[in-house]
Amino acid sequence: MSSIPLSVYLVLALILFCIGLFGALTKRNAVIVLISIELMLNAVNINLVAFAKYGAKPGLTGQIFSLFTITVAAAEAAVGLAILMALYRNRKTVNVDEMDIMKR
């Protein structure tokens, strides 16, 4: 059985990161921006696991860092959604363009 080459993982991570970056920079809906950030973090996870498997010293280091990244992503999603709910209660919108002033 043949192994998947490292370049396939890198191209997949590149595509995911570019889609996430495009969404984070161009979309106005804050929920879509958060989802785009999650896509970029998942691309990083793919790179970490791929380099842990194909790196100079294969081991569990990439998987461990990937678990930390997943934990940070979960915390980011929870805090981000809580902030968005609070902003929606005050402003009645989740449009990023309308959230430029902290004061009401």
Side-chain angles (χ1 to χ4, degrees):
M1 187 163 99
S2 66
S3 178
I4 300 173
L6 177 62
S7 61
V8 173
Y9 292 111
L10 296 179
V11 169
L12 175 64
L14 174 69
I15 291 169
L16 279 178
F17 193 85
C18 288
I19 291 170
L21 185 64
F22 176 78
L25 294 178
T26 61
K27 300 301 177 187
R28 294 184 180 178
N29 190 334
V31 176
I32 301 298
V33 172
L34 285 176
I35 291 171
S36 298
I37 293 170
E38 293 292 326
L39 270 176
M40 294 187 324
L41 287 173
N42 284 331
V44 171
N45 285 337
I46 290 172
N47 279 335
L48 287 171
V49 172
F51 282 119
K53 181 179 179 185
Y54 293 103
K57 288 175 45 179
L60 293 176
T61 308
Q63 284 90 346
I64 293 169
F65 280 121
S66 182
L67 286 175
F68 285 127
T69 308
I70 291 170
T71 305
V72 168
E76 173 261 332
V79 170
L81 287 175
I83 290 171
L84 285 179
M85 287 174 38
L87 284 171
Y88 183 76
R89 285 185 192 147
N90 291 332
R91 301 271 175 105
K92 302 296 184 222
T93 185
V94 290
N95 193 350
V96 177
D97 293 338
E98 297 173 14
M99 296 180 198
D100 57 351
I101 300 174
M102 296 296 283
K103 215 162 83 170
R104 188 166 175 141

